[in-house]
Amino acid sequence: MESKEKVTPVDTAKANQITGFQLFSMTTSMVMTVYGFAAFAKQGPTALFFLFLAGILWFLPVTRAAGEMASIDGWSKGGIFTWSRTMLGEKTGWAALFYQWIHITVGMNTMMYFIIGCLSITLDLPIINNNPAVKFILMMILLWGLILLQQRGTKVTGKIAQWCFSLGVIIPVFFLLILFVTYLVQGNPMLIRINFSTILPKSWTGSVLVGFVPFILAFAGAEGSAPHVKDLNKPKVYPKVMLALAFAAILSDIIGSMAIAGTIPNKQIQLSTGIVYAYGALVKRFGFGVVFIEKLTGLLLAIGVTGEISSWVVGPNAGMFEAAKAGFLPPRFSKANKYGIETNVMILQGVIVSIMGALLTFGAGGNKANLSFQTAMSLTVALYTLMYMLMFVSYIVLQLKHDDLHRTFFASRSKTLRLIYGTLGFVLSAFGFVVTFFPPAALSAASKHTYMVLLLSAFVVVFFIPFILYAYHKRWASELGIGIENQSAKATATETEHAGTSEQHNN
Protein backbone atom coordinates (compact mmCIF):
# COMPACT_ATOMS: atom_id res chain seq x y z
CA MET A 1 0.00 0.00 0.00
CA GLU A 2 2.82 2.41 0.86
CA SER A 3 4.50 2.00 -2.52
CA LYS A 4 1.30 3.10 -4.22
CA GLU A 5 1.17 6.26 -2.12
CA LYS A 6 4.74 7.19 -3.03
CA VAL A 7 4.10 7.22 -6.79
CA THR A 8 5.35 10.55 -8.14
CA PRO A 9 2.43 12.57 -9.53
CA VAL A 10 2.64 13.57 -13.19
CA ASP A 11 2.80 17.27 -14.06
CA THR A 12 -0.09 17.25 -16.56
CA ALA A 13 0.46 20.89 -17.55
CA LYS A 14 4.06 20.12 -18.55
CA ALA A 15 3.07 16.85 -20.26
CA ASN A 16 0.55 18.71 -22.42
CA GLN A 17 2.46 21.95 -23.14
CA ILE A 18 3.16 22.65 -26.82
CA THR A 19 4.86 25.37 -28.86
CA GLY A 20 3.27 27.52 -31.55
CA PHE A 21 5.03 25.52 -34.28
CA GLN A 22 3.79 22.25 -32.78
CA LEU A 23 0.21 23.59 -32.77
CA PHE A 24 0.76 24.76 -36.36
CA SER A 25 1.99 21.26 -37.26
CA MET A 26 -0.97 19.63 -35.50
CA THR A 27 -3.51 21.96 -37.11
CA THR A 28 -1.88 21.90 -40.54
CA SER A 29 -1.72 18.11 -40.48
CA MET A 30 -5.48 18.18 -39.74
CA VAL A 31 -6.17 20.58 -42.61
CA MET A 32 -3.60 20.01 -45.37
CA THR A 33 -5.07 16.81 -46.75
CA VAL A 34 -2.55 15.67 -49.35
CA TYR A 35 -4.77 12.64 -49.94
CA GLY A 36 -7.33 15.04 -51.43
CA PHE A 37 -5.05 16.29 -54.23
CA ALA A 38 -6.13 13.50 -56.59
CA ALA A 39 -9.82 14.23 -55.92
CA PHE A 40 -9.17 17.90 -56.74
CA ALA A 41 -7.35 16.96 -59.94
CA LYS A 42 -10.36 14.89 -61.06
CA GLN A 43 -12.19 18.22 -61.47
CA GLY A 44 -9.58 19.51 -63.94
CA PRO A 45 -9.41 23.32 -64.31
CA THR A 46 -12.69 23.62 -62.35
CA ALA A 47 -10.60 22.75 -59.30
CA LEU A 48 -9.39 26.38 -59.29
CA PHE A 49 -13.00 27.63 -59.05
CA PHE A 50 -13.76 25.27 -56.18
CA LEU A 51 -10.46 26.18 -54.49
CA PHE A 52 -11.48 29.83 -54.65
CA LEU A 53 -14.86 29.08 -53.06
CA ALA A 54 -13.49 26.78 -50.37
CA GLY A 55 -10.07 28.34 -49.80
CA ILE A 56 -10.91 32.06 -49.88
CA LEU A 57 -14.64 32.53 -49.31
CA TRP A 58 -15.02 29.67 -46.79
CA PHE A 59 -11.68 28.82 -45.19
CA LEU A 60 -10.72 32.38 -44.30
CA PRO A 61 -14.02 32.91 -42.42
CA VAL A 62 -13.42 29.59 -40.60
CA THR A 63 -9.92 30.51 -39.43
CA ARG A 64 -10.87 34.09 -38.53
CA ALA A 65 -14.05 33.12 -36.66
CA ALA A 66 -12.36 30.23 -34.82
CA GLY A 67 -9.43 32.46 -33.87
CA GLU A 68 -11.75 35.12 -32.46
CA MET A 69 -13.95 32.73 -30.49
CA ALA A 70 -10.99 30.82 -29.08
CA SER A 71 -9.49 34.11 -27.84
CA ILE A 72 -12.54 35.04 -25.72
CA ASP A 73 -11.84 34.80 -22.00
CA GLY A 74 -12.76 31.30 -20.86
CA TRP A 75 -13.63 30.03 -24.35
CA SER A 76 -10.35 28.36 -25.30
CA LYS A 77 -11.38 25.24 -23.39
CA GLY A 78 -13.86 22.96 -25.15
CA GLY A 79 -13.76 24.53 -28.62
CA ILE A 80 -17.01 24.32 -30.60
CA PHE A 81 -18.80 22.86 -27.58
CA THR A 82 -18.15 25.97 -25.50
CA TRP A 83 -18.82 28.40 -28.35
CA SER A 84 -22.18 26.97 -29.48
CA ARG A 85 -23.31 26.05 -26.00
CA THR A 86 -22.85 29.61 -24.76
CA MET A 87 -24.43 31.25 -27.81
CA LEU A 88 -27.16 28.78 -28.82
CA GLY A 89 -27.90 26.70 -25.74
CA GLU A 90 -26.84 23.36 -24.29
CA LYS A 91 -28.57 21.00 -26.70
CA THR A 92 -27.27 22.80 -29.79
CA GLY A 93 -23.76 23.08 -28.38
CA TRP A 94 -23.75 19.36 -27.64
CA ALA A 95 -25.03 18.53 -31.14
CA ALA A 96 -22.35 20.74 -32.76
CA LEU A 97 -19.59 19.04 -30.78
CA PHE A 98 -20.98 15.59 -31.51
CA TYR A 99 -21.06 16.23 -35.28
CA GLN A 100 -17.49 17.52 -35.18
CA TRP A 101 -16.38 14.52 -33.15
CA ILE A 102 -18.31 11.87 -35.09
CA HIS A 103 -17.35 13.16 -38.54
CA ILE A 104 -13.74 12.20 -37.98
CA THR A 105 -14.76 8.62 -37.25
CA VAL A 106 -15.55 8.54 -40.98
CA GLY A 107 -12.72 10.87 -41.99
CA MET A 108 -10.10 8.70 -40.31
CA ASN A 109 -11.12 5.84 -42.59
CA THR A 110 -10.57 8.10 -45.61
CA MET A 111 -7.08 8.86 -44.28
CA MET A 112 -6.32 5.20 -43.61
CA TYR A 113 -7.44 4.28 -47.15
CA PHE A 114 -4.89 6.78 -48.44
CA ILE A 115 -2.10 5.49 -46.17
CA ILE A 116 -2.71 1.89 -47.22
CA GLY A 117 -2.90 2.92 -50.88
CA CYS A 118 0.49 4.63 -50.56
CA LEU A 119 2.03 1.68 -48.73
CA SER A 120 0.73 -0.73 -51.38
CA ILE A 121 2.88 1.19 -53.88
CA THR A 122 5.88 1.53 -51.56
CA LEU A 123 5.87 -2.18 -50.69
CA ASP A 124 4.69 -3.28 -54.15
CA LEU A 125 1.79 -5.19 -52.54
CA PRO A 126 -1.48 -4.36 -54.37
CA ILE A 127 -3.29 -6.94 -52.23
CA ILE A 128 -3.25 -4.67 -49.16
CA ASN A 129 -5.24 -2.05 -51.09
CA ASN A 130 -7.47 -4.37 -53.15
CA ASN A 131 -8.33 -7.10 -50.65
CA PRO A 132 -10.94 -5.73 -48.20
CA ALA A 133 -10.06 -8.17 -45.38
CA VAL A 134 -6.32 -7.40 -45.50
CA LYS A 135 -7.05 -3.69 -45.81
CA PHE A 136 -9.33 -3.71 -42.75
CA ILE A 137 -6.78 -5.58 -40.60
CA LEU A 138 -4.10 -3.02 -41.47
CA MET A 139 -6.52 -0.17 -40.70
CA MET A 140 -7.13 -1.58 -37.22
CA ILE A 141 -3.41 -1.96 -36.50
CA LEU A 142 -2.81 1.63 -37.58
CA LEU A 143 -5.76 3.10 -35.67
CA TRP A 144 -5.27 1.37 -32.32
CA GLY A 145 -1.51 1.78 -32.48
CA LEU A 146 -1.92 5.56 -32.77
CA ILE A 147 -4.50 5.67 -29.96
CA LEU A 148 -2.01 3.81 -27.73
CA LEU A 149 0.73 6.34 -28.54
CA GLN A 150 -1.47 9.27 -27.41
CA GLN A 151 -1.73 8.10 -23.81
CA ARG A 152 1.30 10.02 -22.48
CA GLY A 153 0.09 13.57 -23.12
CA THR A 154 -0.53 16.15 -25.85
CA LYS A 155 3.18 16.96 -25.90
CA VAL A 156 3.81 13.54 -27.46
CA THR A 157 1.14 14.23 -30.08
CA GLY A 158 2.76 17.59 -30.84
CA LYS A 159 6.10 15.89 -31.49
CA ILE A 160 4.49 13.20 -33.67
CA ALA A 161 2.66 15.86 -35.68
CA GLN A 162 5.80 17.99 -36.00
CA TRP A 163 7.93 15.17 -37.42
CA CYS A 164 5.18 13.69 -39.59
CA PHE A 165 4.31 17.14 -40.93
CA SER A 166 7.94 17.86 -41.80
CA LEU A 167 8.61 14.48 -43.44
CA GLY A 168 5.23 13.76 -44.93
CA VAL A 169 3.86 17.18 -45.92
CA ILE A 170 6.59 19.83 -46.25
CA ILE A 171 9.11 17.67 -48.15
CA PRO A 172 6.63 16.06 -50.62
CA VAL A 173 4.78 19.32 -51.35
CA PHE A 174 7.98 21.29 -51.99
CA PHE A 175 9.39 18.45 -54.08
CA LEU A 176 6.17 18.41 -56.13
CA LEU A 177 6.39 22.18 -56.58
CA ILE A 178 10.00 21.98 -57.83
CA LEU A 179 9.17 19.13 -60.22
CA PHE A 180 6.07 20.83 -61.56
CA VAL A 181 7.76 24.21 -62.09
CA THR A 182 10.71 22.50 -63.82
CA TYR A 183 8.26 20.54 -65.98
CA LEU A 184 6.58 23.77 -67.12
CA VAL A 185 9.83 25.75 -67.57
CA GLN A 186 11.12 23.05 -69.94
CA GLY A 187 8.12 23.66 -72.17
CA ASN A 188 6.29 20.39 -71.50
CA PRO A 189 2.56 20.46 -72.32
CA MET A 190 -0.19 20.68 -69.71
CA LEU A 191 -2.93 18.08 -70.14
CA ILE A 192 -5.52 20.68 -69.17
CA ARG A 193 -6.24 24.16 -70.49
CA ILE A 194 -6.72 26.87 -67.89
CA ASN A 195 -8.83 29.86 -68.88
CA PHE A 196 -11.99 31.57 -67.65
CA SER A 197 -14.36 29.27 -69.56
CA THR A 198 -12.69 26.02 -68.41
CA ILE A 199 -12.40 27.11 -64.76
CA LEU A 200 -16.16 27.56 -64.34
CA PRO A 201 -18.27 24.36 -63.99
CA LYS A 202 -19.65 23.06 -67.32
CA SER A 203 -23.09 22.85 -65.75
CA TRP A 204 -24.63 23.76 -62.40
CA THR A 205 -26.35 20.43 -61.73
CA GLY A 206 -25.94 18.60 -58.43
CA SER A 207 -23.93 15.78 -60.02
CA VAL A 208 -21.33 18.35 -61.15
CA LEU A 209 -21.39 20.59 -58.08
CA VAL A 210 -20.80 17.56 -55.83
CA GLY A 211 -17.20 18.01 -56.99
CA PHE A 212 -17.09 20.79 -54.37
CA VAL A 213 -17.20 18.15 -51.60
CA PRO A 214 -13.48 17.24 -51.41
CA PHE A 215 -12.55 20.93 -51.40
CA ILE A 216 -14.62 21.59 -48.27
CA LEU A 217 -12.96 18.57 -46.67
CA ALA A 218 -9.55 19.87 -47.71
CA PHE A 219 -9.95 23.04 -45.68
CA ALA A 220 -11.98 21.65 -42.78
CA GLY A 221 -10.43 21.16 -39.36
CA ALA A 222 -8.88 24.53 -38.53
CA GLU A 223 -11.11 24.86 -35.46
CA GLY A 224 -10.26 21.32 -34.30
CA SER A 225 -7.13 22.41 -32.46
CA ALA A 226 -8.83 25.32 -30.65
CA PRO A 227 -9.23 23.31 -27.39
CA HIS A 228 -5.42 23.14 -27.25
CA VAL A 229 -4.94 26.91 -27.10
CA LYS A 230 -4.79 26.40 -23.34
CA ASP A 231 -1.75 24.10 -23.85
CA LEU A 232 0.31 26.73 -25.73
CA ASN A 233 3.33 28.13 -23.94
CA LYS A 234 2.38 31.46 -25.59
CA PRO A 235 -1.43 31.48 -26.23
CA LYS A 236 -1.30 34.84 -28.04
CA VAL A 237 0.32 33.21 -31.11
CA TYR A 238 -2.91 31.32 -31.97
CA PRO A 239 -4.26 33.92 -34.47
CA LYS A 240 -0.85 33.97 -36.21
CA VAL A 241 -0.95 30.17 -36.44
CA MET A 242 -4.37 30.42 -38.14
CA LEU A 243 -3.12 33.01 -40.67
CA ALA A 244 -0.04 30.93 -41.55
CA LEU A 245 -2.28 27.89 -41.86
CA ALA A 246 -4.60 29.60 -44.36
CA PHE A 247 -1.69 30.61 -46.59
CA ALA A 248 0.02 27.19 -46.47
CA ALA A 249 -3.18 25.20 -47.11
CA ILE A 250 -4.34 27.25 -50.10
CA LEU A 251 -0.90 27.24 -51.75
CA SER A 252 -0.31 23.50 -51.26
CA ASP A 253 -3.74 22.57 -52.63
CA ILE A 254 -3.24 24.63 -55.78
CA ILE A 255 0.17 23.05 -56.35
CA GLY A 256 -1.01 19.51 -55.67
CA SER A 257 -4.17 19.60 -57.74
CA MET A 258 -2.67 21.30 -60.79
CA ALA A 259 0.42 19.07 -60.77
CA ILE A 260 -1.73 15.93 -60.98
CA ALA A 261 -4.33 17.32 -63.39
CA GLY A 262 -1.63 18.64 -65.70
CA THR A 263 0.44 15.46 -65.95
CA ILE A 264 -1.94 12.48 -65.61
CA PRO A 265 -4.92 11.76 -67.92
CA ASN A 266 -8.14 12.27 -65.95
CA LYS A 267 -9.39 8.71 -66.43
CA GLN A 268 -6.16 7.32 -64.96
CA ILE A 269 -6.35 9.29 -61.71
CA GLN A 270 -7.03 7.03 -58.72
CA LEU A 271 -8.48 8.83 -55.70
CA SER A 272 -6.45 6.99 -53.05
CA THR A 273 -3.13 6.77 -54.94
CA GLY A 274 -3.24 9.46 -57.64
CA ILE A 275 -0.71 11.81 -56.09
CA VAL A 276 1.95 9.09 -55.84
CA TYR A 277 1.70 8.34 -59.55
CA ALA A 278 1.88 12.07 -60.28
CA TYR A 279 5.41 12.10 -58.88
CA GLY A 280 6.29 9.16 -61.11
CA ALA A 281 4.87 10.86 -64.22
CA LEU A 282 6.87 14.01 -63.49
CA VAL A 283 10.26 12.47 -62.64
CA LYS A 284 10.04 10.15 -65.66
CA ARG A 285 10.72 13.18 -67.85
CA PHE A 286 13.86 14.05 -65.88
CA GLY A 287 15.58 10.68 -65.99
CA PHE A 288 14.93 9.68 -62.36
CA GLY A 289 14.05 6.14 -61.35
CA VAL A 290 10.24 6.26 -61.50
CA VAL A 291 9.64 3.22 -59.31
CA PHE A 292 12.03 4.43 -56.60
CA ILE A 293 10.49 7.92 -56.49
CA GLU A 294 6.96 6.51 -56.35
CA LYS A 295 7.89 4.19 -53.49
CA LEU A 296 9.69 6.94 -51.57
CA THR A 297 6.94 9.53 -51.97
CA GLY A 298 4.34 6.89 -51.11
CA LEU A 299 6.14 6.26 -47.83
CA LEU A 300 6.56 9.98 -47.02
CA LEU A 301 2.92 10.78 -47.78
CA ALA A 302 1.80 7.83 -45.65
CA ILE A 303 3.88 9.25 -42.79
CA GLY A 304 2.29 12.67 -43.26
CA VAL A 305 -1.27 11.39 -43.08
CA THR A 306 -0.37 9.19 -40.10
CA GLY A 307 0.48 12.43 -38.30
CA GLU A 308 -2.90 13.81 -39.36
CA ILE A 309 -4.75 10.88 -37.79
CA SER A 310 -2.65 11.31 -34.65
CA SER A 311 -3.75 14.95 -34.39
CA TRP A 312 -7.40 14.09 -34.98
CA VAL A 313 -7.27 11.47 -32.22
CA VAL A 314 -6.63 14.19 -29.63
CA GLY A 315 -8.25 17.32 -31.17
CA PRO A 316 -12.06 16.89 -30.96
CA ASN A 317 -11.63 14.39 -28.10
CA ALA A 318 -10.52 17.26 -25.86
CA GLY A 319 -13.86 18.98 -26.47
CA MET A 320 -15.79 15.72 -26.03
CA PHE A 321 -14.00 15.20 -22.70
CA GLU A 322 -15.25 18.58 -21.48
CA ALA A 323 -18.77 17.54 -22.49
CA ALA A 324 -18.39 14.22 -20.67
CA LYS A 325 -17.38 16.07 -17.49
CA ALA A 326 -20.59 18.11 -17.85
CA GLY A 327 -22.72 14.96 -18.02
CA PHE A 328 -23.36 14.62 -21.76
CA LEU A 329 -21.88 11.11 -21.81
CA PRO A 330 -21.95 8.28 -19.24
CA PRO A 331 -19.72 9.08 -16.20
CA ARG A 332 -17.02 6.59 -17.19
CA PHE A 333 -16.06 8.91 -20.07
CA SER A 334 -15.35 11.83 -17.71
CA LYS A 335 -12.22 10.14 -16.35
CA ALA A 336 -8.68 10.84 -17.55
CA ASN A 337 -5.45 8.91 -17.08
CA LYS A 338 -2.56 10.23 -14.98
CA TYR A 339 -1.32 12.34 -17.90
CA GLY A 340 -4.70 14.08 -18.20
CA ILE A 341 -5.58 12.21 -21.41
CA GLU A 342 -9.22 11.23 -21.99
CA THR A 343 -8.48 7.51 -22.59
CA ASN A 344 -12.09 6.26 -22.40
CA VAL A 345 -13.29 8.86 -24.92
CA MET A 346 -10.48 7.85 -27.29
CA ILE A 347 -11.45 4.18 -26.95
CA LEU A 348 -15.06 5.05 -27.74
CA GLN A 349 -13.90 6.95 -30.81
CA GLY A 350 -11.71 4.02 -31.85
CA VAL A 351 -14.63 1.59 -31.61
CA ILE A 352 -16.84 3.82 -33.78
CA VAL A 353 -14.03 4.32 -36.33
CA SER A 354 -13.63 0.54 -36.48
CA ILE A 355 -17.36 -0.04 -37.06
CA MET A 356 -17.51 2.68 -39.73
CA GLY A 357 -14.38 1.25 -41.33
CA ALA A 358 -15.98 -2.20 -41.55
CA LEU A 359 -19.18 -0.81 -43.09
CA LEU A 360 -17.34 1.30 -45.67
CA THR A 361 -14.69 -1.28 -46.53
CA PHE A 362 -17.00 -4.27 -46.88
CA GLY A 363 -20.23 -2.45 -47.78
CA ALA A 364 -19.08 -0.46 -50.82
CA GLY A 365 -18.69 -3.44 -53.10
CA GLY A 366 -15.57 -5.22 -51.86
CA ASN A 367 -12.58 -4.08 -53.86
CA LYS A 368 -14.19 -0.92 -55.27
CA ALA A 369 -11.67 1.37 -53.58
CA ASN A 370 -12.82 4.54 -55.35
CA LEU A 371 -16.45 4.09 -54.25
CA SER A 372 -15.43 3.44 -50.63
CA PHE A 373 -13.21 6.52 -50.72
CA GLN A 374 -15.90 8.74 -52.32
CA THR A 375 -18.64 7.62 -49.91
CA ALA A 376 -16.41 8.10 -46.87
CA MET A 377 -15.40 11.55 -48.09
CA SER A 378 -19.00 12.64 -48.74
CA LEU A 379 -20.31 11.38 -45.38
CA THR A 380 -17.45 13.18 -43.65
CA VAL A 381 -18.37 16.46 -45.36
CA ALA A 382 -22.12 16.06 -44.71
CA LEU A 383 -21.52 15.69 -40.98
CA TYR A 384 -18.83 18.35 -40.78
CA THR A 385 -20.71 21.02 -42.72
CA LEU A 386 -23.63 20.48 -40.34
CA MET A 387 -21.29 21.39 -37.48
CA TYR A 388 -19.92 24.39 -39.38
CA MET A 389 -23.41 25.79 -39.96
CA LEU A 390 -23.94 25.74 -36.19
CA MET A 391 -20.50 27.27 -35.62
CA PHE A 392 -21.18 30.19 -37.95
CA VAL A 393 -24.63 30.80 -36.47
CA SER A 394 -22.90 30.96 -33.06
CA TYR A 395 -20.40 33.43 -34.46
CA ILE A 396 -23.14 35.65 -35.94
CA VAL A 397 -25.00 35.64 -32.60
CA LEU A 398 -21.74 36.60 -30.89
CA GLN A 399 -21.37 39.62 -33.18
CA LEU A 400 -24.99 40.74 -32.84
CA LYS A 401 -25.54 40.23 -29.12
CA HIS A 402 -22.28 39.87 -27.22
CA ASP A 403 -19.93 42.77 -27.88
CA ASP A 404 -19.37 42.79 -24.10
CA LEU A 405 -17.34 39.55 -24.13
CA HIS A 406 -13.63 40.38 -24.03
CA ARG A 407 -11.40 38.83 -26.67
CA THR A 408 -7.74 39.28 -27.54
CA PHE A 409 -8.31 38.83 -31.28
CA PHE A 410 -10.95 40.11 -33.71
CA ALA A 411 -11.54 38.59 -37.15
CA SER A 412 -11.72 42.19 -38.36
CA ARG A 413 -11.90 45.64 -36.84
CA SER A 414 -15.11 46.16 -38.82
CA LYS A 415 -18.20 44.57 -37.30
CA THR A 416 -19.80 44.58 -40.76
CA LEU A 417 -16.91 42.55 -42.19
CA ARG A 418 -17.13 40.13 -39.26
CA LEU A 419 -20.82 39.60 -40.04
CA ILE A 420 -19.92 39.05 -43.71
CA TYR A 421 -17.40 36.40 -42.62
CA GLY A 422 -20.11 34.65 -40.61
CA THR A 423 -22.70 34.84 -43.40
CA LEU A 424 -20.30 33.68 -46.12
CA GLY A 425 -19.17 30.79 -43.96
CA PHE A 426 -22.74 29.71 -43.23
CA VAL A 427 -23.94 29.96 -46.85
CA LEU A 428 -21.02 27.96 -48.27
CA SER A 429 -21.30 25.37 -45.48
CA ALA A 430 -24.98 24.93 -46.37
CA PHE A 431 -24.07 24.69 -50.06
CA GLY A 432 -21.46 22.01 -49.33
CA PHE A 433 -23.98 20.11 -47.21
CA VAL A 434 -26.68 20.06 -49.92
CA VAL A 435 -24.49 19.04 -52.87
CA THR A 436 -22.96 16.20 -50.85
CA PHE A 437 -26.14 14.18 -51.38
CA PHE A 438 -25.88 14.23 -55.18
CA PRO A 439 -23.96 11.18 -56.52
CA PRO A 440 -20.97 12.09 -58.72
CA ALA A 441 -21.73 12.00 -62.46
CA ALA A 442 -18.80 9.64 -63.12
CA LEU A 443 -20.35 6.77 -61.09
CA SER A 444 -22.29 4.00 -62.80
CA ALA A 445 -26.01 3.56 -62.06
CA ALA A 446 -25.31 0.65 -59.67
CA SER A 447 -22.55 2.56 -57.90
CA LYS A 448 -24.79 5.63 -57.56
CA HIS A 449 -27.41 3.47 -55.84
CA THR A 450 -24.83 2.01 -53.43
CA TYR A 451 -23.43 5.47 -52.79
CA MET A 452 -26.83 6.94 -51.91
CA VAL A 453 -27.92 4.01 -49.72
CA LEU A 454 -24.69 4.07 -47.71
CA LEU A 455 -24.57 7.85 -47.43
CA LEU A 456 -28.21 8.47 -46.49
CA SER A 457 -28.53 5.58 -44.05
CA ALA A 458 -25.34 6.49 -42.20
CA PHE A 459 -26.22 10.19 -42.10
CA VAL A 460 -29.76 9.67 -40.78
CA VAL A 461 -28.53 7.39 -37.99
CA VAL A 462 -25.76 9.77 -36.93
CA PHE A 463 -27.99 12.89 -37.10
CA PHE A 464 -30.29 11.68 -34.32
CA ILE A 465 -27.66 10.20 -31.99
CA PRO A 466 -26.79 13.44 -30.08
CA PHE A 467 -30.47 14.12 -29.35
CA ILE A 468 -30.98 10.57 -28.10
CA LEU A 469 -27.94 10.92 -25.84
CA TYR A 470 -29.15 14.32 -24.62
CA ALA A 471 -32.27 12.62 -23.18
CA TYR A 472 -29.94 11.00 -20.61
CA HIS A 473 -28.09 14.23 -19.80
CA LYS A 474 -29.86 14.87 -16.47
CA ARG A 475 -29.24 11.31 -15.26
CA TRP A 476 -25.54 11.33 -16.18
CA ALA A 477 -25.02 14.82 -14.74
CA SER A 478 -26.71 13.68 -11.52
CA GLU A 479 -24.41 10.64 -11.30
CA LEU A 480 -21.46 13.04 -11.53
CA GLY A 481 -22.97 15.20 -8.78
CA ILE A 482 -23.75 18.03 -11.19
CA GLY A 483 -27.15 19.76 -11.15
CA ILE A 484 -28.47 21.01 -14.50
CA GLU A 485 -29.66 24.17 -12.77
CA ASN A 486 -26.19 24.67 -11.30
CA GLN A 487 -24.66 24.37 -14.76
CA SER A 488 -26.95 27.09 -16.11
CA ALA A 489 -26.17 29.32 -13.15
CA LYS A 490 -22.46 28.70 -13.64
CA ALA A 491 -22.71 29.62 -17.34
CA THR A 492 -24.52 32.84 -16.44
CA ALA A 493 -21.89 33.68 -13.84
CA THR A 494 -19.14 33.01 -16.39
CA GLU A 495 -20.75 35.40 -18.90
CA THR A 496 -21.06 38.05 -16.18
CA GLU A 497 -17.40 37.54 -15.29
CA HIS A 498 -16.39 37.95 -18.96
CA ALA A 499 -18.44 41.13 -19.19
CA GLY A 500 -16.69 42.47 -16.10
CA THR A 501 -13.32 41.56 -17.55
CA SER A 502 -14.29 43.36 -20.76
CA GLU A 503 -15.16 46.53 -18.86
CA GLN A 504 -11.83 46.42 -17.04
CA HIS A 505 -9.96 46.08 -20.33
CA ASN A 506 -11.96 48.89 -21.90
CA ASN A 507 -11.22 51.14 -18.93
Side-chain angles (χ1 to χ4, degrees), residues 354-374:
S354 302
I355 293 171
M356 285 287 189
L359 290 173
L360 290 166
T361 304
F362 298 108
N367 65 351
K368 296 179 182 177
N370 267 6
L371 182 58
S372 297
F373 193 94
Q374 180 69 58

Side-chain angles (χ1 to χ4, degrees), residues 401-414:
K401 296 185 178 181
H402 295 278
D403 282 339
D404 57 322
L405 296 181
H406 176 260
R407 63 212 80 174
T408 57
F409 170 75
F410 284 90
S412 170
R413 292 182 181 180
S414 166

Side-chain angles (χ1 to χ4, degrees), residues 208-447:
V208 173
L209 294 178
V210 72
F212 184 55
V213 166
F215 295 89
I216 282 283
L217 183 59
F219 292 103
E223 83 300 328
S225 65
H228 294 295
V229 172
K230 66 183 187 300
D231 298 325
L232 281 169
N233 52 9
K234 294 179 181 177
K236 290 184 178 180
V237 305
Y238 181 73
K240 295 179 181 177
V241 169
M242 290 292 100
L243 186 61
L245 171 67
F247 178 77
I250 293 170
L251 183 62
S252 69
D253 286 333
I254 291 174
I255 294 169
S257 58
M258 290 301 100
I260 297 175
T263 58
I264 298 180
N266 193 278
K267 291 183 180 179
Q268 295 178 21
I269 297 174
Q270 295 293 312
L271 293 182
S272 58
T273 54
I275 187 172
V276 178
Y277 292 123
Y279 282 94
L282 284 167
V283 299
K284 183 178 181 181
R285 301 173 184 275
F286 305 130
F288 290 101
V290 173
V291 174
F292 172 76
I293 292 296
E294 288 179 349
K295 288 185 175 183
L296 177 61
T297 53
L299 178 62
L300 291 175
L301 292 168
I303 290 172
V305 180
T306 299
E308 182 174 356
I309 296 177
S310 177
S311 297
W312 274 115
V313 166
V314 298
N317 279 333
M320 185 60 80
F321 184 51
E322 294 301 319
K325 289 191 291 184
F328 288 87
L329 287 175
R332 69 173 66 92
F333 296 107
S334 66
K335 297 175 183 177
N337 68 12
K338 66 178 182 179
Y339 293 96
I341 295 300
E342 53 281 357
T343 302
N344 289 344
V345 175
M346 285 188 183
I347 291 174
L348 175 64
Q349 182 190 57
V351 170
I352 297 174
V353 172
S354 302
I355 293 171
M356 285 287 189
L359 290 173
L360 290 166
T361 304
F362 298 108
N367 65 351
K368 296 179 182 177
N370 267 6
L371 182 58
S372 297
F373 193 94
Q374 180 69 58
T375 307
M377 187 181 291
S378 296
L379 181 56
T380 301
V381 173
L383 295 170
Y384 215 1
T385 48
L386 198 57
M387 183 282 295
Y388 275 116
M389 284 189 275
L390 294 175
M391 186 189 95
F392 280 115
V393 170
S394 301
Y395 183 69
I396 291 169
V397 172
L398 172 68
Q399 301 307 320
L400 294 175
K401 296 185 178 181
H402 295 278
D403 282 339
D404 57 322
L405 296 181
H406 176 260
R407 63 212 80 174
T408 57
F409 170 75
F410 284 90
S412 170
R413 292 182 181 180
S414 166
K415 185 174 181 177
T416 301
L417 186 53
R418 295 200 299 271
L419 286 170
I420 291 173
Y421 278 146
T423 304
L424 263 179
F426 177 82
V427 169
L428 282 173
S429 297
F431 172 67
F433 175 79
V434 171
V435 300
T436 297
F437 292 93
F438 289 90
L443 294 180
S444 65
S447 293

